[in-house]
Amino acid sequence: MKQIDFKNGSVFWNIVQTSIPMLVAQMLNLLYSIVDRVYIGRIPEVGTAALGGVGLCFPVIILITGFTNLYGLGGAPLCSIERGRGSRETAEQIMNVSAFLLVCTAVFLTVAGELFCTPLLRLFGAGSENIGYAVPYLRIYLLGTLFSMLATGLNPFINAQGYAGVGMTTVVIGAVANIILDPIFIFALGLGVRGAALATILSQTLSAVFVLRFLTRLTTELKLRFLSPRDFFKKHLRTAGNIISLGTAAFIMQCTNSLVSICCNRMLSVTGGAESAVYISVMTIISSVRQLLDTPVLANGEGTSPVISYNYGAGRYERVRRAILIMTAAGVSYTAVMWVFVLLKPELFILLFTSDKSILTRAVPALHLYFFAFVFQALQISGQTTFKALNKKRQAIFFSIFRKVIIVVPLTLLLPGVFGMGPKGVFMAEPISNFVGGSACFATMLYTVLPELKRMEGRS
């Protein structure tokens, strides 16, 4: 497949060439979980309870994604910068260290998750109505952790080399398999939520096999080689530290998403009264819609990231500035349009996951509240992507913590009870954090990064 040359040609076209395959890949990757929820929500008689049970597994799934991003999104920008500098050997070393960290962490998370599955779900708010669906789903899902982390964690290194089409194909393989296997396992074989989880891990395995085959073939620019523990501890601890320190921002974003999910479910179970299970299902649907609508703006950021990193390493700072501005304009335009759609036609998004009228009447106002400041999400992502792509670890980490930990979590706990807003307060925390956190992150990036790039451009 064609390799994109980040150093030459139109910056806009480079971003388009990288972002569109990444958008397709992320939309299809989202189908791993979205398709599960669509089918689970339609299981006769028990669909709503089963959907709530799967929603309780989100914090663990998000945590796995967090560790995947810690090494994948922490290593890929460093890899791109080294490619821009012409240091192929160092770029390859970064990828191999990331792969070692992915494997070790996947094994640990699988064992720990299987041992503490039930108490964790109880902690997350599981009750008698949904624990019977949450436990079997999560136990099976955890068995595919290694394949999930390898497929998702190594894919950024394929994109960092300019093979966006290959990165897209990686996800297409798994997503298509998941779409085919889900109805077979859930309905035809009568496995219910167990079938959804089994279809997901088999699909992730296919994606992982494709990634490993591509990165180990002879013609690949950067070749994957799994390190021995002795080799890792003797030679590569410093590289691992650099990967982890940069990836911490992405890790915190995922882990705080998990924390927010836990807090939301707990507060809804407390303030929802007799309808607490219904409100947890509403939050599951809103989280699914959020993932769906977030995907294009995230793909825009991740597609721009290697363009920024490569040109920064190559000393082409004017191209870096142009890439940042293009990324921001595209993200703001998209989120503004989507906000209008949510405002005018919220039912279109909710009916993807359920036709239950008791859910629909509560989900529509909740969706309106949750997405009220969606456009500021684009500003947050643009700022975070820029900090991460330029290896500005402190800023990336701070704004990851600021929006979720300092703003969302306290508001989720305070608005429902202290301010007497009940379940409504849970859904209001997100737009407030988007406005405050997104504005602060983007303004900081504008007043620090862009002037610095202009000065560097003048000296080059």
Side-chain angles (χ1 to χ4, degrees):
M1 292 190 179
K2 184 180 177 182
Q3 185 177 21
I4 301 168
D5 182 4
F6 295 133
K7 192 174 182 178
N8 299 303
S10 163
V11 173
F12 174 79
W13 184 237
N14 281 343
I15 293 174
V16 169
Q17 285 181 293
T18 311
S19 295
I20 289 182
M22 201 164 290
L23 171 60
V24 174
Q26 289 200 9
M27 290 297 291
L28 290 171
N29 190 40
L30 186 59
L31 290 177
Y32 278 132
S33 53
I34 294 293
V35 169
D36 283 351
R37 295 169 219 168
V38 169
Y39 283 123
I40 289 168
R42 285 167 170 73
I43 296 175
E45 299 180 4
V46 300
T48 297
L51 189 63
V54 172
L56 290 164
C57 301
F58 285 178
V60 178
I61 296 171
I62 290 169
L63 184 64
I64 292 170
T65 306
F67 277 105
T68 305
N69 290 345
L70 177 64
Y71 310 129
L73 299 183
L78 299 176
C79 181
S80 291
I81 290 172
E82 293 302 328
R83 283 190 70 240
R85 291 172 177 163
S87 182
R88 188 193 66 80
E89 185 177 338
T90 304
E92 190 174 273
Q93 176 187 337
I94 291 168
M95 180 179 71
N96 290 329
V97 172
S98 294
F100 179 88
L101 294 169
L102 285 165
V103 171
C104 292
T105 304
V107 172
F108 171 79
L109 291 176
T110 301
V111 174
E114 294 290 351
L115 288 175
F116 301 106
C117 178
T118 302
L120 278 174
L121 290 169
R122 292 286 187 191
L123 178 66
F124 300 158
S128 57
E129 300 158 323
N130 42 39
I131 189 78
Y133 303 104
V135 170
Y137 182 88
L138 186 57
R139 284 198 181 281
I140 295 173
Y141 185 94
L142 285 168
L143 297 177
T145 301
L146 175 62
F147 305 108
S148 171
M149 289 186 70
L150 284 175
T152 308
L154 292 177
N155 216 28
F157 293 96
I158 294 176
N159 295 321
Q161 297 176 63
Y163 293 106
V166 177
M168 178 185 71
T169 304
T170 297
V171 185
V172 169
I173 291 170
V176 170
N178 196 50
I179 292 169
I180 294 171
L181 293 175
D182 252 335
I184 295 173
F185 288 162
I186 295 173
F187 300 111
L189 298 180
L191 295 176
V193 294
R194 291 177 176 85
L198 186 59
T200 298
I201 67 170
L202 290 176
S203 303
Q204 290 168 342
T205 301
L206 291 175
S207 292
V209 169
F210 180 83
V211 169
L212 294 175
R213 285 194 64 184
F214 179 82
L215 290 175
T216 53
R217 68 179 189 171
L218 293 176
T219 54
T220 301
E221 179 185 344
L222 305 180
K223 295 177 180 59
L224 181 66
R225 178 177 65 88
F226 286 102
L227 306 173
S228 67
R230 181 179 178 181
D231 195 26
F232 172 80
F233 287 107
K234 187 177 179 180
K235 301 178 181 178
H236 302 298
L237 285 177
R238 184 173 182 178
T239 300
N242 290 334
I243 292 168
I244 292 170
S245 60
L246 182 58
T248 298
F251 176 75
I252 289 172
M253 286 183 71
Q254 283 297 327
C255 287
T256 50
N257 284 340
S258 180
L259 178 62
V260 169
S261 180
I262 294 168
C263 290
C264 287
N265 287 336
R266 291 293 294 179
M267 291 307 297
L268 289 172
S269 67
V270 170
T271 61
E275 296 186 321
S276 60
V278 173
Y279 277 114
I280 290 175
S281 295
V282 168
M283 179 55 77
T284 300
I285 290 169
I286 287 179
S287 297
S288 302
V289 174
R290 164 75 179 270
Q291 284 182 289
L292 187 66
L293 297 187
D294 268 356
T295 298
V297 71
L298 288 170
N300 175 50
E302 290 186 23
T304 309
S305 181
V307 179
I308 293 173
S309 297
Y310 184 94
N311 283 288
Y312 184 73
R316 300 174 69 96
Y317 305 115
E318 189 273 336
R319 290 174 66 84
V320 174
R321 287 195 298 114
R322 206 181 314 163
I324 294 169
L325 295 176
I326 292 169
M327 169 181 62
T328 303
V332 169
S333 300
Y334 163 77
T335 49
V337 170
M338 286 301 103
W339 178 73
V340 172
F341 269 107
V342 169
L343 188 66
L344 298 179
K345 295 290 182 181
E347 300 89 351
L348 293 179
F349 300 101
I350 298 164
L351 289 172
L352 287 173
F353 303 98
T354 185
S355 55
D356 189 328
K357 290 186 178 179
S358 66
I359 297 287
L360 189 64
T361 55
R362 291 160 180 79
V364 168
L367 197 70
H368 280 155
L369 275 177
Y370 196 87
F371 282 94
F372 182 72
F374 187 48
V375 70
F376 291 91
Q377 177 82 348
L379 299 182
Q380 174 82 25
I381 291 170
S382 291
Q384 285 285 104
T385 299
T386 301
F387 290 137
K388 184 182 65 178
L390 299 179
N391 196 17
K392 294 186 178 295
K393 304 166 188 174
R394 292 180 183 177
Q395 295 93 325
I397 292 171
F398 172 78
F399 285 108
S400 296
I401 295 172
F402 179 67
R403 191 170 75 87
K404 291 290 187 178
V405 178
I406 298 176
I407 303 176
V408 178
V409 172
L411 287 177
T412 301
L413 298 175
L414 292 173
L415 291 178
V418 175
F419 293 94
M421 300 180 71
K424 182 180 178 181
V426 175
F427 301 109
M428 282 190 66
E430 184 69 19
I432 294 172
S433 77
N434 276 343
F435 173 73
V436 177
S439 299
C441 181
F442 188 71
T444 302
M445 186 273 291
L446 281 181
Y447 287 107
T448 59
V449 171
L450 294 188
E452 177 188 343
L453 290 173
K454 199 160 188 179
R455 288 194 302 270
M456 296 171 75
E457 184 185 345
R459 291 197 299 264
S460 61

